[in-house]
Amino acid sequence: MKTIAAHFLRFRPVVTARFARLLVYLTASLALVSHTDAFEPKSPEVQALVKKAVRFLARQDYFSERERVLAAMALFKAGEPETHPVIAQAKKDCLEWCQSESMIDGALNSIYELSVVGLFFCELDPSAYRSQIQRLIRALEKRQKSFGGWGYPKPSGDWKTGDTSMAQYASLFAWTAQAT
């Protein structure tokens, strides 16, 4: 079995096309929700869009681990149980990855992966997955640059620049982990 990190870094055009359709659904739902005086999360129109997105995500069987974790988090937030096949497989993959040495000593640019897996555990049950969350935080701290940010590694030594997107993911995970 390939590691999550290997899948995280692969580009898959077919998957990208399917996720583009999902983005269209989500964009349409945001357009409906943007009129806050007309729709709320429990409005029938919004719930219909959520159900459509759940059906789309649930029928996919080709997710890489990266895609599966994102889909599992969306399904869980939509009210699907932890026993849902996509959620259960994502949880299994994440638990295995958290025990691997590659998670601790892996690529320094795996900030996104560490953060998304950590957020997934925080959403599922922060008490039950506390040890995994703490392990992910330690791995994230190990990848933090000397000036406090996160970013891509320079081939030799510490690069004095950061990546805003990586810092956002890392900060969101760290904040969520602390708050739960």
Side-chain angles (χ1 to χ4, degrees):
M1 180 177 150
K2 291 184 179 180
T3 67
I4 293 175
H7 286 289
F8 222 71
L9 301 174
R10 289 182 55 199
F11 176 74
R12 296 176 61 186
V14 173
V15 173
T16 303
R18 291 182 189 245
F19 270 82
R21 279 187 287 193
L22 176 61
L23 286 176
V24 169
Y25 289 134
L26 292 175
T27 302
S29 67
L30 288 175
L32 288 175
V33 179
S34 67
H35 302 288
T36 56
D37 58 309
F39 298 104
E40 295 181 6
K42 298 295 181 191
S43 297
E45 297 87 352
V46 174
Q47 289 300 305
L49 289 169
V50 170
K51 286 180 182 177
K52 189 172 184 176
V54 165
R55 283 193 306 271
F56 173 82
L57 291 172
R59 71 175 185 256
Q60 305 305 311
D61 60 354
Y62 57 85
F63 288 119
S64 70
E65 284 89 347
R66 175 187 185 188
E67 295 155 352
R68 188 179 296 116
V69 172
L70 293 171
M73 199 167 359
L75 289 167
F76 187 73
K77 295 286 278 182
E80 294 298 309
E82 281 190 54
T83 56
H84 186 285
V86 174
I87 297 171
Q89 184 62 49
K91 186 168 57 171
K92 179 181 179 282
D93 293 341
C94 291
L95 287 169
E96 287 175 7
W97 183 66
C98 277
Q99 295 307 312
S100 71
E101 288 304 313
S102 66
M103 190 273 295
I104 292 291
D105 298 323
L108 291 175
N109 62 354
S110 61
I111 305 304
Y112 297 114
E113 186 174 26
L114 290 166
S115 301
V116 169
V117 170
L119 287 166
F120 179 59
F121 284 138
C122 288
E123 288 294 331
L124 286 179
D125 187 344
S127 298
Y129 300 108
R130 180 61 49 204
S131 66
Q132 288 84 3
I133 292 168
Q134 290 172 343
R135 186 171 166 90
L136 289 162
I137 288 290
R138 284 192 303 274
L140 194 61
E141 289 170 344
K142 184 175 183 181
R143 289 163 175 78
Q144 191 171 21
K145 295 184 170 274
S146 61
F147 58 86
W150 286 273
Y152 294 99
K154 185 176 178 182
S156 60
D158 192 19
W159 209 1
K160 298 292 184 198
T161 62
D163 181 273
T164 304
S165 178
M166 286 184 175
Q168 289 170 336
Y169 271 79
S171 298
L172 177 61
F173 168 46
W175 179 83
T176 304
Q178 183 181 26
T180 55

